Amino acid sequence: MPLNRSLPLLIFLFLSLASGDLCVASSAPLETWAERTVSPSLQLPQSILEQQRAAELSHETALQLVSVSVSVSAVTSPSAAGQPSAGSLLLTDDGAEEDDEALTLVDSETMEEALILAEEETSPPEDEGATVEVTELQFDFPVVENQKVQYYIDYFTGPGRNVFNRWLERSSRYLPYMQEVFAAEGLPRDLVYLSIVESGLNPKAYSWAHASGPWQFIPSTGKIFGLKADYWWDERRDFEKSTHAAARFLKELYGIFNGDWYLAVAAYNAGPGAVARAIERSGSRDFWEISHNLHLPQETRNYVPKLLAVLLIAKQPERYGFIDTQFLEPIACDKVTVDGPLDLAVVARLADSSYGEIKSLNPELKRWCTPPQLQSYQINLPLGTKDTFLAAYAELPANERRNYKVHKFAKGETVQGLAKQYRLSVDDILRANSLSTAKNVKVGRNLAIPLRAGVDAIPREDLLDDPVVSKIATSRSYKVKKGDTLSKIARNSGATLAQLKSWNRLTDRSRLQIGQVLRVGPGKKSAQTPTVTAKTTSKKGTAPAAKKSPLNENKIVYKVKKGDTVYKIARQYAVNPAQVLAWNNLDNKHILQPGQSLTLRVQGRKGG
């Protein structure tokens, strides 16, 4: 269905996207599940269709409760439609509405991975060349080699090496469990590596289309497969629950496409309707043949080759130079059911653990406590701490289970008034919410209110909503509107302030003008991720030759100061941290020393 026939249609599609009609972040046209089933031989099970209709009706009811204003510029493309706007509302089960403006957290590690997942600077070959089945390695998933697969091997072992090494380290933590789930569903164990292509196994991965978690479900598809999400929790980020959902989804797709795994995997990315139409238009059921005629979105044409490249590297990491990878221990935990709500700082204290460890074992919990609207909740504890926790929990008075409550800041209220209402100081409220001044509090914001003096501070990231996008929007420009600030535009576009200044040649004294057009994403000549040149040889383990520097790129020498980190320096000059390491022949474990000289290649700046 075209997205550009008329403004009313675009607005309708934008509203539909708010609940999510894609299974993952994709550049394919937006459709409902029913629209995707265009061939009698490729029908989805009736139960799935019924669940989709129920999800859509639920969304229509929600829309009656919320007034949404959509600008023309917000719906000019699928990517733009998927971008969360400054005024979008996040509904919570306890009646709170969260304005996500000023609540975006940019995580440096996740952003670095986002650039590799988005592969903005890649140019894979359209023709895969000769395709040869891999027989020297043991796979339970069909694996082949060709020029496209080799291209992504070069990409992940070249520009993406540091990030891919991180993915390998995580793989030993999550994949053993995932493989057991897939095996129980009758799926290939090796298919779990698709989660690396989706998210890099980062539970914080969050896309422009609101896809979340290791398997990148969007809200409506997650709901169909039983994954709940609201202000407090998001089961799409739970590696156990989301893996069960992904296994059921992939099993459905495998049946729809008559046992062809490449088509099923492509449908996980683009949707079954897009793949069904590609089959009808091309007259072929061969994934590679369909890809030749451009019947599938480019992202989907590259999706299967990326999975095959990941499998080939992950099965033999030493062959590709990953010899110092520090593989993590498989995740293991105790499970207990608690009466809710219960603060995670309290859980950590009772289990003789740390807040960070409890959060890492429960990635579906977005905030600092279990969901208040649930009477009970099953929580993961460090292995071997169950008995200690239960004994201490039995002695804990009910009024000490929570350190904070949530107050939605209403029109006419002041922080001073709230402090008086709750018998606190203004500083108590500001400190609890990581605020420097009461002027930063806007109507509609949820404030954490301490219930007693001296409680543990809430980590700032647990006050904010899901952070960065793992799919950089294809729209790279933004027209400034009334009330915009450079910081606000940077947050909403998933860029850093330094990047936005660099891309637009702005300084701290620059003033924005209404109607001014800003570049908000890396351009095709950006130094964010070096372009990989496709190779026709089948030789493995060799990184591609570096591309020549852009004409407006300057080399500078930076003297390391006390307190500097690679990320801090990279952010200052709007470059990728991985590039700083590569330019200076440093590994990702290198510790900077004051006075050390670093070579940087920076666009639009004078050397020296």
Side-chain angles (χ1 to χ4, degrees):
M1 183 187 301
L3 287 174
N4 57 357
R5 289 181 179 175
S6 66
L7 179 59
L9 177 59
L10 291 172
I11 293 176
F12 171 78
L13 289 172
F14 179 86
L15 296 178
S16 296
L17 182 60
S19 66
D21 290 326
L22 297 173
C23 55
V24 290
S26 169
S27 57
L30 309 180
E31 334 165 79
T32 65
W33 276 71
E35 288 170 334
R36 292 173 179 174
T37 56
V38 298
S39 170
S41 62
L42 297 173
Q43 290 295 317
L44 287 170
Q46 188 64 25
S47 60
I48 296 296
L49 290 172
E50 290 172 354
Q51 291 178 68
Q52 172 66 14
R53 294 190 188 104
E56 290 168 353
L57 287 173
S58 174
H59 176 57
E60 289 172 6
T61 302
L63 287 178
Q64 293 171 5
L65 302 176
V66 182
S67 174
V68 181
S69 174
V70 184
S71 68
V72 175
S73 61
V75 291
T76 53
S77 71
S79 297
Q83 287 270 40
S85 66
S88 61
L89 297 176
L90 305 175
L91 301 183
T92 71
D93 280 0
D94 62 352
E97 292 175 351
E98 183 70 19
D99 183 348
D100 69 356
E101 190 267 319
L103 294 183
T104 303
L105 176 68
V106 176
D107 176 90
S108 60
E109 188 173 279
T110 306
M111 177 58 80
E112 183 184 16
E113 295 176 18
L115 293 170
I116 297 301
L117 285 167
E119 46 171 322
E120 285 293 308
E121 303 297 321
T122 60
S123 300
E126 287 296 340
D127 191 336
E128 76 281 356
T131 296
V132 180
E133 183 181 357
V134 175
T135 57
E136 68 268 23
L137 295 171
Q138 291 293 321
F139 295 100
D140 61 358
F141 181 86
V143 176
V144 299
E145 288 185 284
N146 55 38
Q147 290 182 25
K148 270 191 123 169
V149 175
Q150 183 61 44
Y151 178 91
Y152 281 105
I153 289 176
D154 293 338
Y155 178 64
F156 290 134
T157 58
R161 174 175 290 275
N162 288 338
V163 166
F164 196 90
N165 186 68
R166 195 180 302 145
W167 296 345
L168 285 176
E169 291 176 340
R170 292 181 192 143
S171 67
S172 56
R173 178 173 174 81
Y174 298 109
L175 294 193
Y177 173 83
M178 291 179 171
Q179 288 176 326
E180 293 303 316
V181 172
F182 273 39
E185 290 285 351
L187 302 179
R189 287 174 175 264
D190 289 328
L191 187 56
V192 299
Y193 285 91
L194 187 64
S195 59
I196 292 181
V197 179
E198 281 294 321
S199 66
L201 291 170
N202 186 343
K204 296 180 182 179
Y206 189 82
S207 85
W208 63 271
H210 308 291
S212 180
W215 290 98
Q216 288 291 280
F217 280 96
I218 59 155
S220 63
T221 307
K223 184 181 294 186
I224 288 172
F225 288 94
L227 301 176
K228 304 179 183 68
D230 63 20
Y231 174 81
W232 294 98
W233 63 332
D234 188 344
E235 291 186 321
R236 297 174 297 166
R237 304 196 323 187
D238 184 300
F239 77 96
E240 295 184 38
K241 295 172 184 174
S242 67
T243 298
H244 282 281
R248 295 196 304 274
F249 189 17
L250 286 163
K251 193 172 184 178
E252 295 280 4
L253 294 172
Y254 184 64
I256 291 168
F257 292 101
N258 301 323
D260 188 308
W261 272 122
Y262 288 2
L263 295 179
V265 167
Y268 191 89
N269 176 256
V275 175
R277 284 193 299 274
I279 291 172
E280 292 181 341
R281 292 167 183 170
S282 67
S284 173
R285 295 186 64 88
D286 179 83
F287 170 80
W288 304 106
E289 183 65 30
I290 295 171
S291 297
H292 291 169
N293 298 318
L294 310 184
H295 292 303
L296 291 171
Q298 182 176 359
E299 180 182 329
T300 308
R301 299 198 300 272
N302 299 335
Y303 192 68
V304 171
K306 279 197 289 186
L307 171 60
L308 298 177
V310 167
L311 277 166
L312 286 166
I313 299 171
K315 285 285 187 174
Q316 44 188 349
E318 297 85 359
R319 183 174 182 178
Y320 295 99
F322 295 97
I323 55 178
D324 296 320
T325 302
Q326 302 296 313
F327 289 99
L328 300 176
E329 290 293 323
I331 193 167
C333 56
D334 290 335
K335 296 181 182 294
V336 298
T337 299
V338 299
D339 297 330
L342 181 66
D343 275 24
L344 301 187
V346 176
V347 174
R349 176 167 55 83
L350 299 183
D352 195 20
S353 181
S354 68
Y355 182 91
E357 186 172 15
I358 298 300
K359 281 288 289 187
S360 70
L361 290 173
N362 298 274
E364 77 280 6
L365 295 177
K366 296 164 61 176
R367 311 296 171 183
W368 60 90
C369 72
T370 61
Q373 71 272 21
L374 300 183
Q375 293 183 350
S376 63
Y377 189 85
Q378 186 179 72
I379 197 165
N380 296 328
L381 301 175
L383 191 65
T385 64
K386 181 177 180 178
D387 292 341
T388 299
F389 172 85
L390 289 176
Y393 182 66
E395 300 295 325
L396 183 71
N399 63 352
E400 294 183 15
R401 292 176 181 174
R402 298 192 71 180
N403 293 330
Y404 293 88
K405 68 172 293 183
V406 171
H407 180 98
K408 181 184 173 184
F409 197 66
K411 186 176 181 179
E413 286 187 322
T414 65
V415 175
Q416 291 79 3
L418 288 182
K420 184 177 181 179
Q421 177 183 341
Y422 289 106
R423 299 182 180 179
L424 299 167
S425 70
V426 171
D427 284 343
D428 287 335
I429 296 177
L430 295 180
R431 191 180 307 112
N433 292 276
S434 295
L435 295 171
S436 58
T437 172
K439 294 180 181 179
N440 292 341
V441 182
K442 297 185 178 181
V443 172
R445 179 165 181 173
N446 289 332
L447 291 175
I449 305 296
L451 295 178
R452 64 188 68 84
V455 295
D456 295 330
I458 298 174
R460 183 171 181 271
E461 59 267 24
D462 287 352
L463 297 166
L464 310 177
D465 222 318
D466 277 327
V468 281
V469 294
S470 61
K471 174 83 170 69
I472 304 301
T474 56
S475 175
R476 295 179 178 84
S477 64
Y478 175 82
K479 184 176 289 187
V480 177
K481 302 190 296 291
K482 184 179 179 180
D484 277 341
T485 65
L486 206 58
S487 296
K488 176 179 175 180
I489 295 169
R491 285 192 299 265
N492 289 339
S493 62
T496 65
L497 188 59
Q499 286 173 325
L500 207 57
K501 289 179 179 178
S502 175
W503 293 332
N504 295 280
R505 308 292 176 85
L506 301 175
T507 68
D508 291 336
R509 296 183 178 181
S510 298
R511 296 177 65 87
L512 296 181
Q513 302 294 328
I514 295 175
Q516 179 180 355
V517 177
L518 297 179
R519 178 176 160 190
V520 295
K524 289 302 182 183
K525 298 299 182 183
S526 168
Q528 286 287 343
T529 309
T531 299
V532 180
T533 302
K535 304 179 72 176
T536 56
T537 175
S538 61
K539 184 178 180 180
K540 301 180 179 63
T542 304
K547 189 178 181 180
K548 290 184 179 179
S549 301
L551 294 177
N552 64 339
E553 183 179 87
N554 296 289
K555 181 163 65 175
I556 67 173
V557 176
Y558 178 86
K559 290 286 187 183
V560 176
K561 299 187 289 291
K562 185 177 180 180
D564 274 343
T565 64
V566 171
Y567 171 70
K568 182 178 179 181
I569 296 168
R571 182 175 59 182
Q572 178 180 344
Y573 289 93
V575 297
N576 192 315
Q579 288 181 288
V580 176
L581 296 173
W583 290 330
N584 295 277
N585 296 317
L586 305 175
D587 61 39
N588 56 8
K589 298 178 182 177
H590 181 81
I591 299 176
L592 298 181
Q593 301 296 329
Q596 179 180 353
S597 295
L598 294 180
T599 297
L600 306 176
R601 300 182 183 275
V602 183
Q603 288 185 322
R605 301 181 71 120
K606 298 294 184 184

